[in-house]
Amino acid sequence: MSIDEIKQVIVDQSEILTRKMRGNIIKRDVPDLLKYLKIPNALAILGVRRSGKSTLSILLLKDKKFSYINFDDERLKGLKTEDLNKILQAIYELYGDIEYMIFDEIHNVEGWELFVSRLRDIKKIIVTGSNSKMLSGELATFITGRHSDYVLFPFSFKEYLRFKGWEVQETDLYSTFKISQLKNELENYLIEGGFPESILLGRDQINFIYNDILFKDVISRYKIRDIEKFRDFARTLISYYSNEVSLRALSKVIDVNKVTVESWANGLNDAYLIFFLPRYGEKLRQRLTYNKKVYTVDPGIISNIAIRGKDKGRIMENLVAIKLFRELQGTEHLFYIRNNYEVDFYDEINSRLIQVTYASDKVENREIKGLIEGYKLTKAKELIIVSWDIKDTLKVEGREIKIVPVYEFLLK
């Protein structure tokens, strides 16, 4: 590929970005990521496809001079490692000696790690990617401790409301009228989800996004041959949202060997489409042998793709899970507990136990008992029940249990 051809791609993409940035760009609720852009540290913004990674990258640098190139462009397909230096030359010829560079989906180019490793000593680099394994190869080897990564999710409920023009205030949570509006919008969010394109262009976009994730981020990357069976597996696994899943049992159901099923599941997890939550065990060996619970990255995927009945309680639990994944940036210190009782979430970092129930009148005793028994095991400092719309505080066996409506939990 010639340098002039690369320049054309860069300029065309720049013009599209300029038009895009004139539109309704929503502020994302993310930490101060610019503090990680210090030479020789590279910033990697990761997350599911179409979650807004490139837009966030551009927003971070909106007051600075930077270059941008998206390697998901079909004109760049088949780009070789040796072509990356032509990319750099084209950038210099177009923009001069600039300080900031954004490389969008650069993991599409094999050998990109060495290129970024070389550049981050003289430039402030943002790379984006829709696969969690992009930092587990040579990049991690070459710049261990010299990169920071942040996982971006589709719009949270708060960001969804912001997109709709509503910046929720603390006082809104005490207004009867505003609370009724919040519950109506939450019902909409459960169906539409938080992918920016699906909110802007309609629910049909979710199917396009979902298929892009399957084909570009899993099937192509992992060279899956039995595409139809894989698609059936993916849809089935998504339908288990907020439930324990046995991959061994699932492999028998779809008549695919367990090793293949585990590989497929890891591919969906690497693409940020699903997340696995481990069961809490006091010993590490126990944690490794227990079944995990599965959650889906966005409620819109559930409402459009899942083949099982839509269960409001399970959807609420999935919402809470994604909020916790977003806040904790992973599941390393997040668990569910199942002994003779069940606790939906044990947040080890913040020392809190969380139950989720679709209750709008009375919380069942088993939810309360689960928290108390969970406390005896973990000594967690905070016990929370997330309900549909109950707000209360209980005292049970000397422990305080806060009951909060799901809309409040998601917004605070």
Side-chain angles (χ1 to χ4, degrees):
M1 192 173 191
S2 72
I3 290 177
D4 281 344
E5 288 173 321
I6 293 172
K7 283 182 181 180
Q8 183 177 7
V9 172
I10 293 174
V11 172
D12 286 348
Q13 290 181 357
S14 177
E15 290 173 351
I16 292 171
L17 279 179
T18 301
R19 290 195 297 270
K20 183 178 180 180
M21 297 305 286
R22 291 190 189 125
N24 185 19
I25 302 300
I26 301 303
K27 174 183 173 293
R28 303 302 299 266
D29 295 321
V30 299
D32 178 16
L33 298 177
L34 276 179
K35 67 182 180 182
Y36 300 116
L37 272 181
K38 295 179 180 177
I39 294 173
N41 197 65
L43 171 63
I45 299 178
L46 309 172
V48 69
R49 186 173 292 271
R50 312 286 184 85
S51 57
K53 300 183 295 295
S54 57
T55 303
L56 174 61
S57 303
I58 293 158
L59 281 174
L60 290 174
L61 302 181
K62 64 180 180 180
D63 297 323
K64 306 180 187 302
K65 188 176 180 181
F66 63 91
S67 66
Y68 170 89
I69 184 164
N70 182 1
F71 290 89
D72 229 7
D73 194 307
E74 79 281 355
R75 291 170 292 182
L76 300 178
K77 188 174 181 180
L79 211 63
K80 305 294 184 185
T81 309
E82 53 268 24
D83 293 320
L84 288 173
N85 214 52
K86 293 181 183 178
I87 298 279
L88 190 60
Q89 184 175 340
I91 289 171
Y92 284 147
E93 289 183 11
L94 285 170
Y95 302 113
D97 188 15
I98 57 174
E99 185 179 7
Y100 296 89
M101 295 181 175
I102 300 172
F103 298 121
D104 205 354
E105 304 287 351
I106 193 175
H107 57 87
N108 287 331
V109 183
E110 192 172 344
W112 65 274
E113 301 95 338
L114 285 169
F115 175 70
V116 170
S117 179
R118 172 166 59 90
L119 269 185
R120 53 107 180 120
D121 282 323
I122 56 173
K123 302 295 177 186
K124 295 177 180 177
I125 306 290
I126 296 177
V127 296
T128 78
S130 50
N131 192 283
S132 64
K133 294 302 182 187
M134 69 176 289
L135 289 181
S136 63
E138 289 187 21
L139 181 62
T141 301
F142 286 113
I143 57 173
T144 300
R146 301 173 83 178
H147 69 81
S148 303
D149 56 292
Y150 181 80
V151 180
L152 184 70
F153 289 76
F155 285 159
S156 65
F157 182 48
K158 187 174 184 179
E159 291 167 334
Y160 172 85
L161 292 173
R162 185 177 294 145
F163 187 90
K164 295 291 188 76
W166 186 358
E167 190 69 56
V168 177
Q169 305 298 317
E170 181 77 18
T171 53
D172 293 343
L173 300 177
Y174 297 94
S175 163
T176 302
F177 175 67
K178 292 290 180 64
I179 287 172
S180 67
Q181 287 185 308
L182 282 174
K183 289 196 285 188
N184 286 336
E185 289 292 357
L186 182 56
E187 294 278 9
N188 294 332
Y189 179 64
L190 294 182
I191 296 171
E192 293 182 25
F195 284 101
E197 287 180 22
S198 69
I199 304 171
L200 187 64
L201 302 175
R203 282 180 60 187
D204 288 346
Q205 291 298 310
I206 294 174
N207 291 301
F208 296 126
I209 294 169
Y210 174 73
N211 286 319
D212 263 2
I213 295 167
L214 290 192
F215 281 94
K216 293 183 179 180
D217 298 320
V218 189
I219 292 171
S220 175
R221 186 170 301 280
Y222 296 91
K223 298 178 173 58
I224 294 173
R225 295 180 180 178
D226 196 341
I227 294 175
E228 286 309 309
K229 188 154 281 192
F230 169 72
R231 284 168 61 89
D232 289 342
F233 166 76
R235 197 174 183 196
T236 301
L237 190 57
I238 286 169
S239 301
Y240 274 93
Y241 66 93
S242 303
N243 272 321
E244 278 188 34
V245 62
S246 166
L247 294 180
R248 182 184 297 276
L250 199 53
S251 71
K252 294 177 181 178
V253 171
I254 64 173
D255 193 26
V256 175
N257 70 71
K258 183 173 178 286
V259 173
T260 299
V261 162
E262 287 179 345
S263 173
W264 288 356
N266 288 335
L268 294 169
N269 181 240
D270 291 344
Y272 299 100
L273 183 63
I274 61 168
F275 296 86
F276 288 107
L277 184 68
R279 177 175 164 184
Y280 182 73
E282 294 180 89
K283 297 179 181 177
L284 180 60
R285 185 172 60 83
Q286 291 177 307
R287 299 183 187 185
L288 294 175
T289 57
Y290 290 146
N291 286 336
K292 296 180 179 181
K293 293 181 78 171
V294 64
Y295 296 95
T296 300
V297 71
D298 184 74
I301 295 288
I302 294 173
S303 67
N304 285 268
I305 305 301
I307 54 181
R308 299 171 68 181
K310 309 304 186 291
D311 181 283
K312 187 66 74 69
R314 287 171 55 211
I315 295 175
M316 283 174 54
E317 183 180 331
N318 200 99
L319 285 179
V320 171
I322 296 305
K323 176 178 170 61
L324 296 173
F325 297 160
R326 181 185 287 112
E327 291 176 353
L328 299 175
Q329 283 291 290
T331 61
E332 185 179 356
H333 298 285
L334 188 66
F335 310 91
Y336 75 96
I337 300 175
R338 187 188 296 282
N339 289 325
N340 297 321
Y341 57 90
E342 182 175 351
V343 180
D344 293 322
F345 303 103
Y346 171 38
D347 174 359
E348 198 174 39
I349 293 292
N350 296 297
S351 188
R352 55 182 177 170
L353 295 168
I354 301 170
Q355 294 280 48
V356 184
T357 175
Y358 182 51
S360 58
D361 181 30
K362 181 182 178 181
V363 174
E364 293 184 17
N365 287 332
R366 63 182 174 85
E367 308 288 0
I368 297 169
K369 181 175 174 56
L371 284 180
I372 295 301
E373 294 300 321
Y375 165 74
K376 292 175 183 177
L377 176 67
T378 64
K379 302 303 179 188
K381 295 179 181 178
E382 193 172 11
L383 310 182
I384 301 170
I385 295 176
V386 179
S387 68
W388 179 248
D389 60 2
I390 302 173
K391 186 177 177 67
D392 200 359
T393 301
L394 306 177
K395 263 288 177 69
V396 181
E397 296 186 22
R399 304 304 305 171
E400 181 179 274
I401 299 176
K402 296 178 183 177
I403 307 176
V404 298
V406 63
Y407 56 83
E408 181 175 317
F409 184 84
L410 295 175
L411 291 171
K412 285 194 173 181

